[in-house]
Amino acid sequence: MFEKVLIANRGEIALRVLRACREMGIHTVAVHSTADAQAMHVRLADESVCIGPPSVRESYLNIPAILSAASITGADAIHPGLGFLSENADFAHMVEEHGLTFIGPTPEHIRMMGDKVIAKRIAQELGIPTVPGSDGAIGDIDVACKRAAEVLYPVLIKASGGGGGRGMKVANNEEELRALIPIAQGEAKAFFNNDEVYFEKYLDKPRHIEMQILGDGQGNAIHLGERDCSLQRSHQKILEEAPSPVLTTAQREEIGAIATAAIAKLNYRGAGTLEFLFQDGQFAFIEMNTRIQVEHPVSELISGIDLVQEQIRIAAGGTLDRTQADVVLRGHAIECRINAEHPLTFAPSPGLVTTYHAPGGYGVRIDSALYQGYRVPSQYDSLVSKLIVHGRDRRECIMRLRRALAEYVIAGIDTNIPLHQRLMDEPDFIAGDYDIHWLERFVATKLKE
Ligand code: ADP
């Protein structure tokens, strides 16, 4: 097992990794920008190294600075967390070249799944159903239009190197498709340094359902069930739950078996997520994330498996120590993403946290790097806390979330806690009756009432 792990991240996920390490008796090294000198992950780590100024390019994405920090402190592995360098195959490769272990999949798997066109092709080869669309990346516009007429409009243009829900465009007819393809290619080049785009049929009422998997790189794989992440604004998840209110046991077992067979065949190592859209009883793969995800705690709460500890164990050469039959999913879990933003306008709200009181009690988990007197920096993601509850069933979870949200005090900055409180009272949410477009409609109509 590793003696010292460097955590190449910040915020709640850095703290999440730090906690896993500490419970495994592993020393931790935090890295931070000058804007994060007072951050909780820095305060709690055994050692810390300042790696640059606030700009992420010069700090959390600064590969030479991070590798130097690992070398100076004598770390033997690097956990990339999520975002930043977590899906950067070159970084993973360089970490290994420096004689350190990258806590994650092989650079080859990261590269393969990071290109969404290649990922979809591999998924098809592995027998995973995908959303119908262009045959790979769009080359000839006439060929693309012919194919779009077959899959039927509207279609969604996506970037092959895309992520974070950015840069997707809906085309309702051929004229729009012809006009939008070059625009999408230009934006993809600017955002992702890769001008390849493709299109998919734009589904009108899907749910976003994703499978959490673990592979040990030695031919073994298991899944921890699904997460339903259909509550989204601008393609960004805001609340996630497990299990999905709409899947049957047979559907879960079927997609779980397809996912684990694929992961085992790929010899995939570490934690990963296969994302699907689910409509009319059919699953269609959209992408795979080769890292831990923000919403991983809901899977931990229903499975009792610590996913970050599993990542670390597998990276250290461990094999999966359970089979699918050993994975028992119990009860229900829901996560609310608490963002530092105005609950109605969604304007970012960095600043000083003047009062902080987190909820507690039975079945409540908080993953947050906030504390009283902490100044939320303006340079980074607005996610400041995750409130996750576990209950016997969905109803108990909703009641527990209502009381936990009411206890949660974060003063000095705006947060979206009032939005989550509104959701807990919405009949559609209570009934589990929502698709990926529901929240946008709710925000546009009911929220401002
Ligand atoms: P990213 O990697 O940028 O997050 P994804 O492919 O994971 O992009 O898609 C993000 C979200 O966009 C999905 O959760 C879903 O809400 C929406 N989306 C993606 N593909 C489609 C599609 N074919 N039809 C309708 N919505 C889609």
Side-chain angles (χ1 to χ4, degrees):
M1 185 43 71
F2 310 118
E3 285 185 12
K4 199 187 267 191
V5 168
L6 181 138
I7 304 163
N9 217 297
R10 65 177 300 284
E12 66 84 20
I13 197 66
L15 211 51
R16 171 71 190 86
V17 175
L18 184 149
R19 286 172 170 152
C21 289
R22 200 150 275 171
E23 288 176 17
M24 296 173 87
I26 300 170
H27 290 277
T28 53
V29 181
V31 292
H32 65 92
S33 70
T34 49
D36 274 340
Q38 299 302 319
M40 199 53 134
H41 75 282
V42 178
R43 292 182 160 204
L44 288 186
D46 296 309
E47 292 167 69
S48 63
V49 181
C50 180
I51 49 167
S55 124
V56 292
R57 198 173 291 280
E58 294 173 275
S59 55
Y60 298 104
L61 295 177
N62 184 343
I63 296 176
I66 292 169
L67 291 176
S68 305
S71 148
I72 293 164
T73 53
D76 37 20
I78 297 187
H79 194 303
L82 50 84
F84 296 135
L85 296 168
S86 61
E87 289 176 296
N88 183 320
D90 293 336
F91 176 62
H93 180 71
M94 277 186 248
V95 170
E96 309 260 311
E97 288 276 282
H98 278 72
L100 306 169
T101 302
F102 179 77
I103 302 178
T106 60
E108 292 71 32
H109 282 146
I110 297 174
R111 189 166 288 121
M112 182 190 278
M113 294 303 171
D115 184 312
K116 294 168 114 185
V117 164
I118 296 178
K120 268 187 93 169
R121 185 174 312 134
I122 288 167
Q124 283 159 359
E125 285 166 12
L126 290 166
I128 301 174
T130 58
V131 185
S134 56
D135 187 19
I138 298 174
D140 186 301
I141 294 197
D142 290 331
V143 174
C145 290
K146 193 158 169 276
R147 177 72 185 136
E150 286 165 11
V151 307
L152 301 179
Y153 289 95
V155 297
L156 185 65
I157 308 171
K158 300 167 96 171
S160 197
R166 283 195 299 173
M168 288 183 255
K169 294 188 190 309
V170 181
N172 292 295
N173 50 49
E174 182 171 331
E175 196 188 335
E176 288 182 11
L177 185 62
R178 284 184 185 275
L180 289 172
I181 287 173
I183 298 174
Q185 285 169 329
E187 286 185 11
K189 177 78 188 158
F191 283 152
F192 312 115
N193 198 27
N194 173 0
D195 66 1
E196 258 188 25
V197 300
Y198 63 106
F199 72 77
E200 275 176 358
K201 183 165 181 53
Y202 182 65
L203 301 181
D204 61 341
K205 49 176 178 18
R207 296 186 74 116
H208 174 117
I209 294 186
E210 55 186 37
M211 295 303 295
Q212 174 68 55
I213 56 87
L214 272 176
D216 62 10
Q218 301 176 49
N220 306 304
I222 55 170
H223 72 85
L224 273 56
E226 80 284 4
R227 296 183 285 261
D228 194 321
C229 315
S230 303
L231 281 179
Q232 302 182 356
R233 212 191 124 253
S234 311
H235 304 300
Q236 305 266 5
K237 301 161 185 167
I238 98 133
L239 177 150
E240 303 94 347
E241 59 181 313
S244 166
V246 298
L247 273 204
T248 64
T249 304
Q251 285 167 328
R252 174 173 308 110
E253 284 175 359
E254 190 195 339
I255 198 68
I258 292 174
T260 46
I263 290 307
K265 186 143 187 232
L266 279 176
N267 245 343
Y268 182 84
R269 178 184 79 198
T273 300
L274 279 80
E275 297 194 334
F276 298 89
L277 296 179
F278 180 71
Q279 182 168 316
D280 304 323
Q282 304 286 323
F283 283 98
F285 172 88
I286 47 173
E287 67 161 342
M288 177 170 180
N289 291 320
T290 52
R291 54 171 166 82
I292 195 79
Q293 288 195 252
V294 172
E295 58 273 24
H296 75 277
V298 292
S299 302
E300 295 185 325
L301 292 186
I302 63 162
S303 68
I305 296 173
D306 185 316
L307 278 162
V308 178
Q309 290 198 11
E310 287 302 309
Q311 287 188 297
I312 297 170
R313 250 183 15 81
I314 291 166
T319 50
L320 283 180
D321 54 5
R322 36 169 93 70
T323 64
Q324 194 62 49
D326 300 323
V327 180
V328 182
L329 305 178
R330 281 202 184 85
H332 199 92
I334 304 183
E335 170 180 281
C336 294
R337 295 192 187 200
I338 314 283
N339 296 330
E341 65 189 17
H342 192 277
L344 294 177
T345 64
F346 302 101
S349 179
L352 184 69
V353 177
T354 52
T355 308
Y356 184 75
H357 175 79
Y362 194 83
V364 174
R365 165 173 168 180
I366 294 279
D367 278 20
S368 173
L370 286 183
Y371 59 88
Q372 193 153 315
Y374 174 64
R375 187 173 285 281
V376 177
S378 59
Q379 291 89 352
Y380 311 112
D381 197 86
S382 64
L383 179 78
V384 289
S385 177
K386 302 184 316 203
L387 165 60
I388 315 109
V389 304
H390 185 234
R392 269 173 311 177
D393 52 28
R394 194 164 183 272
R395 204 190 100 81
E396 191 174 271
C397 268
I398 293 174
M399 296 307 283
R400 187 158 283 152
L401 267 178
R402 282 193 183 143
R403 77 100 178 134
L405 285 162
E407 281 177 31
Y408 211 163
V409 180
I410 305 174
I413 58 169
D414 288 326
T415 74
N416 61 349
I417 289 176
L419 170 66
H420 286 293
Q421 289 180 299
R422 278 292 305 270
L423 289 175
M424 295 305 129
D425 292 334
E426 268 307 300
D428 286 350
F429 176 70
I430 294 168
D433 183 14
Y434 57 85
D435 61 33
I436 60 164
H437 306 299
W438 185 90
L439 185 62
E440 298 269 3
R441 281 197 303 270
F442 174 76
V443 168
T445 56
K446 291 178 117 181
L447 184 63
K448 295 188 173 99
E449 279 169 12

